[in-house]
């Protein structure tokens, strides 16, 4: 992801903060504190014309919501490496930190490759697309009337799967390293020239994941490898059907087939 941002989209390396479990520097590991600080760093000083990007590839979960703000009754969460002792980062906090302050003329893209990640930014609208590419925008604004949108900016999130789905992590997709299936499909959509609009991006990402399930993405591979990828993408069941469909959410609805995609 970092390679794509710096080479294809010309993000300066100095404008990227990366937290990984492998980093020996304790300040660059994805602990809850470090992740929170990185989110504040991202939005700090944001001005019209700025383009922000938040990419998370890791574990996601859910916890019971008691204030009636969630359509499904659950908050979506991201799991830092120390979540068992420090707790998870809840979608309400991500929305308050990154989405609500976003000023007019600024743009935020979130790419969230985690389980239960469909609405993890708590954005007000979710694009529900079927396998033929037809879509509707679902209204996820809280019944309480609380505003979950921006301060005039544009916030759009690609997520690995719906709130009730499980996201896959497989090396068979990239052949090189263990990669979140959704992260890989996002990069592939851009590399293959399918990044003209948000609709073409979403369709391409879903196609990549479905084709992997059928084995057509695995050049020269088959049998056990195909079965393994199928099992990963169906959350451990070889007959359970798909449990991963990339989702799109936004602070306001738009025509996904005419709006140009750009980071």
């Amino acid at each position: 992801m970092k390679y794509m941002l710096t080479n294809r989209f010309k993000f300066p390396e100095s404008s990227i903060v990366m937290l990984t479990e492998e980093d020996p520097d304790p300040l660059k590991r994805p602990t809850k504190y470090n992740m929170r600080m990185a989110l504040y760093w991202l939005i700090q000083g944001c001005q019209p014309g700025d383009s922000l990007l938040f990419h998370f590839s890791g574990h996601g979960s859910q916890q019971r919501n008691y204030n009636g703000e969630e359509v499904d009754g659950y908050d979506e969460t991201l799991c830092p490496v120390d979540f068992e002792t420090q707790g998870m980062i809840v979608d309400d906090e991500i929305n308050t930190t990154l989405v609500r302050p976003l000023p007019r003329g600024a743009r935020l893209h979130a790419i969230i490759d985690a389980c239960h990640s469909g609405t993890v930014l708590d954005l007000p609208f979710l694009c529900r697309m079927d396998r033929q590419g037809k879509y509707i925008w679902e209204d996820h604004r809280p019944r309480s009337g609380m505003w979950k949108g921006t301060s005039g900016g544009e916030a759009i999130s690609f997520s690995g799967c719906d709130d009730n789905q499980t996201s896959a992590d497989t090396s068979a997709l990239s052949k090189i390293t263990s990669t979140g299936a959704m992260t890989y499909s996002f990069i592939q959509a851009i590399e293959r020239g399918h990044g003209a609009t948000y609709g073409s991006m979403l369709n391409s990402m879903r196609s990549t994941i479905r084709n992997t399930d059928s084995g057509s993405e695995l050049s020269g591979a088959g049998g056990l490898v195909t079965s393994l990828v199928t099992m990963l993408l169906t959350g451990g069941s070889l007959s359970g059907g798909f449990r991963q469909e990339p989702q799109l959410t936004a602070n306001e609805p738009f025509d996904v087939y005419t709006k140009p995609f750009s980071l």
Side-chain angles (χ1 to χ4, degrees), residues 37-159:
M37 290 303 100
L39 292 175
Y40 289 128
W41 167 86
L42 182 61
I43 195 70
Q44 191 175 28
C46 181
Q47 299 174 351
D50 285 350
S51 176
L52 312 182
L53 185 131
F54 171 44
H55 173 244
F56 176 86
S57 185
H59 293 294
S61 189
Q62 291 178 306
Q63 63 186 36
R64 204 63 203 163
N65 170 272
Y66 294 101
N67 60 14
E69 287 183 5
E70 295 284 346
V71 172
D72 62 358
Y74 287 89
D75 282 318
E76 283 64 53
T77 63
L78 300 181
C79 299
V81 291
D82 56 355
F83 77 93
E84 288 174 307
T85 57
Q86 300 302 310
M88 298 180 282
I89 296 179
V90 183
D91 52 8
D92 295 338
E93 178 181 347
I94 300 170
N95 181 275
T96 300
T97 304
L98 281 187
V99 176
R100 301 265 287 281
L102 197 69
R104 187 171 302 280
R107 187 169 57 203
L108 166 70
H109 283 94
I111 301 161
I112 310 294
D113 198 347
C115 300
H116 312 295
S117 54
T119 64
V120 79
L121 261 68
D122 252 5
L123 291 170
F125 297 96
L126 183 142
C127 178
R128 183 73 66 188
M129 184 179 285
D130 67 18
R131 295 207 166 191
Q132 286 69 49
K134 295 177 183 173
Y135 71 93
I136 59 167
W137 285 96
E138 291 181 356
D139 189 340
H140 282 243
R141 286 175 292 187
R143 288 184 290 259
S144 66
M146 176 180 283
W147 176 241
K148 291 284 189 174
T150 69
S151 295
E154 183 175 61
I156 297 172
S157 174
F158 288 93
S159 51

Side-chain angles (χ1 to χ4, degrees), residues 4-261:
M4 183 190 70
L5 291 176
T6 54
N7 288 273
R8 181 170 285 267
F9 292 100
K10 307 305 178 189
F11 278 63
E13 281 221 30
S14 60
S15 73
I16 297 175
V17 166
M18 189 160 71
L19 308 178
T20 63
E21 288 180 74
E22 298 79 20
D23 202 305
D25 184 345
L27 295 177
K28 292 186 176 178
R29 299 189 74 243
T31 62
K32 184 174 184 179
Y33 178 81
N34 290 346
M35 286 176 63
R36 276 178 161 171
M37 290 303 100
L39 292 175
Y40 289 128
W41 167 86
L42 182 61
I43 195 70
Q44 191 175 28
C46 181
Q47 299 174 351
D50 285 350
S51 176
L52 312 182
L53 185 131
F54 171 44
H55 173 244
F56 176 86
S57 185
H59 293 294
S61 189
Q62 291 178 306
Q63 63 186 36
R64 204 63 203 163
N65 170 272
Y66 294 101
N67 60 14
E69 287 183 5
E70 295 284 346
V71 172
D72 62 358
Y74 287 89
D75 282 318
E76 283 64 53
T77 63
L78 300 181
C79 299
V81 291
D82 56 355
F83 77 93
E84 288 174 307
T85 57
Q86 300 302 310
M88 298 180 282
I89 296 179
V90 183
D91 52 8
D92 295 338
E93 178 181 347
I94 300 170
N95 181 275
T96 300
T97 304
L98 281 187
V99 176
R100 301 265 287 281
L102 197 69
R104 187 171 302 280
R107 187 169 57 203
L108 166 70
H109 283 94
I111 301 161
I112 310 294
D113 198 347
C115 300
H116 312 295
S117 54
T119 64
V120 79
L121 261 68
D122 252 5
L123 291 170
F125 297 96
L126 183 142
C127 178
R128 183 73 66 188
M129 184 179 285
D130 67 18
R131 295 207 166 191
Q132 286 69 49
K134 295 177 183 173
Y135 71 93
I136 59 167
W137 285 96
E138 291 181 356
D139 189 340
H140 282 243
R141 286 175 292 187
R143 288 184 290 259
S144 66
M146 176 180 283
W147 176 241
K148 291 284 189 174
T150 69
S151 295
E154 183 175 61
I156 297 172
S157 174
F158 288 93
S159 51
C161 45
D162 208 345
D163 285 344
N164 62 354
Q165 293 176 325
T166 309
S167 206
D169 181 16
T170 172
S171 58
L173 280 162
S174 69
K175 320 288 198 305
I176 302 166
T177 183
S178 183
T179 309
M182 182 268 184
T183 299
Y184 176 81
S185 68
F186 180 87
I187 294 169
Q188 282 293 294
I190 292 167
E191 294 296 330
R192 292 175 176 177
H194 299 152
T197 66
Y198 287 89
S200 63
M201 280 290 295
L202 200 55
N203 279 313
S204 176
M205 291 163 64
R206 290 176 165 206
S207 175
T208 293
I209 291 175
R210 288 193 202 114
N211 288 342
T212 303
D213 184 45
S214 68
S216 60
E217 285 283 318
L218 303 177
S219 54
L224 182 62
V225 174
T226 306
S227 298
L228 176 63
V229 174
T230 304
M231 186 172 71
L232 284 164
L233 291 175
T234 55
S237 165
L238 283 173
S239 58
F242 256 99
R243 292 179 62 188
Q244 179 164 8
E245 286 281 346
Q247 301 290 327
L248 185 72
T249 57
N251 62 301
E252 58 184 31
F254 57 86
D255 185 341
V256 300
Y257 291 117
T258 60
K259 186 178 181 64
F261 168 77

